[in-house]
Amino acid sequence: MILGCHVQMKAPDYVLGSVQEALLYGANALMLYTGAPQNTRRNPIEKMKVKEAQQLMEKSGIPMQHMIIHAPYIINPANSVKPEVAELAKEFLESELKRTHEIGAKYLVLHPGSYTTTDLETGIRTIVERLNSIEDYPENVIICLETMAGKGSEVGFRFEHLAEIIQKTEHPERFGVCLDTCHISDAGYDVNDFDGVLDEFDRIIGLDRLHVIHLNDSKNERGARKDRHANLGMGTIGFETLHRIAENERTAHIPKILETPYINKKPPYSYEIEMLKSGVYDPEVLNSL
Ligand code: FE
Ligand code: FE
Ligand code: ZN
């Protein structure tokens, strides 16, 4: 199983610290933001201990494709209402793509964004324009559009939205998808029938475009369009289903990344990863954190 989680990226060890944190949890994949997800302040790449991080990845036998970068959610590529937001989205996306390339990662996860006061169609058109406007696109980096819960005016809560965006870009080969189990359940998909979900994904987007899975339980009922992650087994999806997803052979080659909440300010990831590996769910361990 390729299992990882969201890890921190902070001074003094930056990306090296991210890899060390992932190893501490027994993970063989990881996901990081290149800075605070809610702002665009970033450290120069020279400071981020990239070489040391790459060496530790290699020494630990973890391929660089298992290091996923997540773009900050302040980027809203669907916003056509405020030109300054649109300009920020373009510029920041370009610098984030450059950073992803310099770190040596392959997949950059991006939220398609929210259309705010316009409509879905305008939102989709705006995203396509934004993606087409990217200059100096680095080779070997794939932007993975994330499936969304459909909260507010979010775009991307149906596979059809993501398929349309990708098909309409000038360079569809640059784009893939990150599937978030909490989000798609909130969007109304029945993740209990994960093979059915994969069939639908394959028909509409193509399974070859699926590169990252976010493995999260959900605090809300299927179709609630809320987006609140729960720890494995503590939400409406349940451990059994999430474990079956982690074991699914059709997606065995795809990193599964936990974005579950901390419990009592402590990361639950060692325990959640261990439970997925063993298939044994022990809520006591999580509750006693
Ligand atoms: Fe995300
Ligand atoms: Fe996610
Ligand atoms: Zn989420």
Side-chain angles (χ1 to χ4, degrees):
M1 282 183 195
I2 305 167
L3 297 174
C5 58
H6 166 230
V7 291
Q8 301 190 57
M9 208 289 297
K10 60 180 196 334
D13 287 326
Y14 300 97
V15 186
L16 174 63
S18 306
V19 178
Q20 288 168 335
E21 186 185 341
L23 292 172
L24 203 72
Y25 301 144
N28 55 359
L30 63 154
M31 184 175 78
L32 53 110
Y33 289 85
T34 63
Q38 64 276 22
N39 68 47
T40 56
R41 257 176 287 119
R42 292 297 181 262
N43 276 301
I45 193 86
E46 298 73 34
K47 235 179 119 175
M48 284 165 56
K49 300 207 180 176
V50 169
K51 267 268 136 6
E52 293 94 322
Q54 289 175 344
Q55 283 164 358
L56 183 55
M57 290 281 281
E58 181 161 11
K59 200 180 120 214
S60 314
I62 306 176
M64 280 305 291
Q65 308 94 268
H66 294 181
M67 179 192 278
I68 315 293
I69 310 294
H70 198 309
Y73 36 76
I74 193 172
I75 298 185
N76 182 3
N79 189 322
S80 57
V81 181
K82 291 188 181 165
E84 65 274 19
V85 175
E87 191 50 31
L88 176 84
K90 173 180 143 54
E91 275 172 27
F92 197 77
L93 197 50
E94 282 169 359
S95 69
E96 196 74 345
L97 277 163
K98 186 163 175 272
R99 261 190 300 275
T100 302
H101 174 71
E102 286 168 342
I103 288 172
K106 186 176 167 83
Y107 300 117
L108 174 65
V109 174
L110 174 71
H111 292 185
S114 301
Y115 59 75
T116 68
T117 52
T118 64
D119 52 60
L120 182 65
E121 202 188 319
T122 309
I124 289 178
R125 189 167 11 97
T126 306
I127 296 163
V128 172
E129 281 168 16
R130 212 65 71 221
L131 295 177
N132 283 340
S133 75
I134 297 171
E135 290 165 61
D136 303 317
Y137 197 102
E139 251 178 81
N140 304 323
V141 177
I142 304 270
I143 292 180
C144 295
L145 300 169
E146 183 163 348
T147 59
M148 302 312 290
K151 182 177 49 153
S153 65
E154 272 176 355
V155 182
F157 61 90
R158 298 287 316 169
F159 297 159
E160 286 82 354
H161 302 168
L162 301 181
E164 187 180 342
I165 293 167
I166 293 170
Q167 280 157 15
K168 285 186 172 165
T169 57
E170 284 159 18
H171 292 279
E173 74 279 4
R174 292 174 178 170
F175 302 98
V177 172
C178 165
L179 183 141
D180 187 311
T181 55
C182 164
H183 295 178
I184 63 168
S185 174
D186 280 25
Y189 291 93
D190 181 7
V191 291
N192 286 304
D193 175 21
F194 192 61
D195 270 306
V197 169
L198 290 180
D199 289 341
E200 189 167 344
F201 188 103
D202 195 31
R203 198 174 63 248
I204 295 164
I205 302 176
L207 260 187
D208 54 338
R209 293 225 188 250
L210 181 57
H211 302 303
V212 184
I213 290 176
H214 285 170
L215 198 66
N216 303 309
D217 212 327
S218 173
K219 289 202 168 132
N220 292 286
E221 293 299 326
R222 181 181 154 201
R225 296 180 62 167
K226 284 282 201 334
D227 187 3
R228 291 195 58 211
H229 303 186
N231 291 95
L232 304 191
M234 294 183 162
T236 58
I237 298 175
F239 180 77
E240 219 189 278
T241 295
L242 291 162
H243 180 245
R244 253 190 291 118
I245 294 173
E247 279 196 319
N248 191 294
E249 278 183 21
R250 293 158 78 187
T251 52
H253 58 292
I254 297 172
K256 327 274 177 327
I257 305 290
L258 302 166
E259 302 174 294
T260 49
Y262 275 34
I263 300 172
N264 295 324
K265 299 199 173 122
K266 292 189 203 107
Y269 306 122
S270 312
Y271 307 100
E272 291 184 319
I273 287 171
E274 185 47 44
M275 288 191 290
L276 286 169
K277 284 181 186 167
S278 66
V280 181
Y281 178 57
D282 185 356
E284 286 307 304
V285 184
L286 294 178
N287 282 323
S288 64
L289 270 181

